[in-house]
Amino acid sequence: MTLVLGIESSCDETAAALVRDGREVLGERVASQVDLHARFGGVIPEVASRSHLEALFPVIEETLAEGAVGLNDIDAIAVTNTPGLVGCLLVGLSGAKGLALAASKPLIPVNHVHAHVYGALMEPPAPPPQDLPWPLASLVVSGGHTSLYQSNSPTEHLRLGRTIDDAAGEAYDKVAAVLGLGYPGGPRIDEMSTRGNPTAYAFPRTKLKGLDFSFSGLKTAVVYAARGPNTRRNAPLLPDLCKEDLAASFQAAVVDVLANRLVEAAQSIDAGGLVISGGVAANAALRERAQAEAQRLNLPLYLPSRRLATDNAVMIAGLGYHLMRTGIVGDLSLDAVPRAD
Ligand code: KG4
Ligand code: ZN
């Protein structure tokens, strides 16, 4: 029995979790900063770091209390050290180092994006890791990431492609801001799209060489469609604009690109299954389309519940367990690396 305490602070959630043997959750807390950043329409790094500093130890203490364990009962501390906002990563990493030093526990560095993949595999219907049909084609889509991987095991993820500009969630948030829908915009566009015509606008499906993504052209096309030739910041929307049609057509383009690339990736690596994770994995249209593609390819599709799709520390502790088993342990010289290569 191995008990890992996970700590996550890479963006705008401060989270801790206690996970036994990589799968069984004994305690978890997430302190979200969404309300704090909503009035700015996006995450302000300096505000986020300060908020992590306030939330970190209460969140850890509550997690340990929920699991009814003390620091001495855990076997290791896993912490996100890459990628993310550097000031935010440093808060979690410094806290984890302090605890590891005080309690003489191993410190395990965790890649946040790899952990998103693992998070989608922690709950049924996904079987335990040894029974999964590796390799998996894994798509991580959130406000900060859009990457495709060949996942060979819980700990080995070879990147096949990534966005060269905006992340898909970022494009959702920017389009929502132009339409005046508030932040975060993904869920609002998702809902609004159900009332719109997805073929009303023929937005571009940018296809780069290889398996990379680009969403900035799509974003610009949507802004022009919303405001006409007036590109001034905060320019008014066209008077006869149907926001529902615009949202639905934008979403159709994003879903097309993501689903087609995932299928292409799966075929290129002869994958045994598909994974979609990250905040955008909550998108109803993406889930429906991915189910259809998986059925067509006759492959299992692993989608996380909302709790494990968005940022959390359960996935950090879970992946930390497997990293520890493969001998990946850091020390107090461990650094925060804002951009993963
Ligand atoms: O994983 P996450 O909670 O945080 C990180 O960015 O790491 O993802 C948040 C992103 C936001 O951009 C949000 O707009 C998007 O996920 N999102 C969605 C939906 N729910 C959240 N995008 C599209 N459809 C949704 N239903
Ligand atoms: Zn994330």
Side-chain angles (χ1 to χ4, degrees):
M1 206 270 301
T2 304
L3 201 54
V4 176
L5 172 67
I7 296 175
E8 156 64 36
S9 70
S10 65
C11 187
D12 60 349
E13 335 276 349
T14 319
L18 263 177
V19 175
R20 183 153 54 196
D21 296 336
R23 211 167 155 95
E24 191 190 342
V25 182
L26 303 191
E28 64 173 303
R29 283 290 181 281
V30 180
S32 174
Q33 303 175 7
V34 143
D35 296 340
L36 194 63
H37 298 292
R39 65 197 165 104
F40 302 110
V43 178
I44 307 293
E46 175 67 10
V47 174
S49 316
R50 281 170 188 269
S51 172
H52 284 306
L53 211 48
E54 283 166 19
L56 186 65
F57 281 101
V59 156
I60 293 172
E61 274 165 14
E62 287 171 23
T63 300
L64 291 173
E66 187 187 344
V69 300
L71 209 47
N72 288 325
D73 303 317
I74 63 173
D75 296 290
I77 297 168
V79 61
T80 305
N81 79 316
T82 190
L85 298 166
V86 71
C88 295
L89 289 168
L90 279 170
V91 175
L93 185 57
S94 308
K97 282 182 185 176
L99 294 178
L101 183 66
S104 300
K105 302 292 177 187
L107 183 67
I108 303 163
V110 178
N111 177 310
H112 176 91
V113 190
H114 296 179
H116 268 303
V117 175
Y118 184 73
L121 304 170
M122 288 182 79
E123 287 175 331
Q130 65 274 18
D131 299 328
L132 279 164
W134 310 101
L136 305 173
S138 311
L139 173 67
V140 179
V141 255
S142 72
H145 319 284
T146 301
S147 297
L148 264 173
Y149 295 92
Q150 171 178 340
S151 301
N152 292 329
S153 74
T155 58
E156 194 190 331
H157 306 274
L158 309 175
R159 199 176 54 231
L160 304 170
R162 71 160 134 187
T163 182
I164 60 161
D165 41 55
D166 292 350
E170 200 178 348
Y172 264 98
D173 294 336
K174 287 181 180 167
V175 167
V178 168
L179 293 180
L181 302 179
Y183 172 86
R188 293 170 200 192
I189 291 197
D190 194 4
E191 188 276 322
M192 189 176 242
S193 297
T194 59
R195 289 177 275 117
N197 172 6
T199 59
Y201 296 85
F203 286 133
R205 272 81 168 149
T206 307
K207 194 166 187 317
L208 302 176
K209 264 213 290 231
L211 288 165
D212 282 342
F213 299 90
S214 165
F215 291 103
S216 70
L218 170 62
K219 185 186 65 192
T220 308
V222 174
V223 173
Y224 272 108
R227 292 177 178 161
N230 186 351
T231 54
R232 193 166 43 80
R233 209 177 141 77
N234 298 329
L237 299 177
L238 291 174
D240 55 349
L241 179 73
C242 173
K243 289 186 185 180
E244 286 79 6
D245 284 353
L246 190 84
S249 302
F250 161 73
Q251 173 152 295
V254 175
V255 168
D256 252 0
V257 168
L258 294 175
N260 290 343
R261 285 272 138 151
L262 178 60
V263 167
E264 246 180 273
Q267 287 170 333
S268 78
I269 63 168
D270 197 13
L274 309 176
V275 178
I276 306 183
S277 195
V280 183
N283 185 271
L286 179 61
R287 290 175 89 96
E288 197 180 309
R289 171 72 178 276
Q291 299 280 12
E293 296 293 351
Q295 220 161 21
R296 190 172 62 79
L297 298 175
N298 197 22
L299 292 175
L301 167 67
Y302 303 109
L303 287 169
S305 59
R306 179 153 185 82
R307 155 182 163 262
L308 285 175
T310 54
D311 285 352
N312 67 85
V314 170
M315 65 184 190
I316 305 300
L319 178 52
Y321 164 77
H322 291 282
L323 290 166
M324 185 162 104
R325 285 193 0 149
T326 57
I328 296 176
V329 175
D331 59 30
L332 296 180
S333 67
L334 198 63
D335 229 344
V337 182
R339 204 175 150 78
D341 38 43

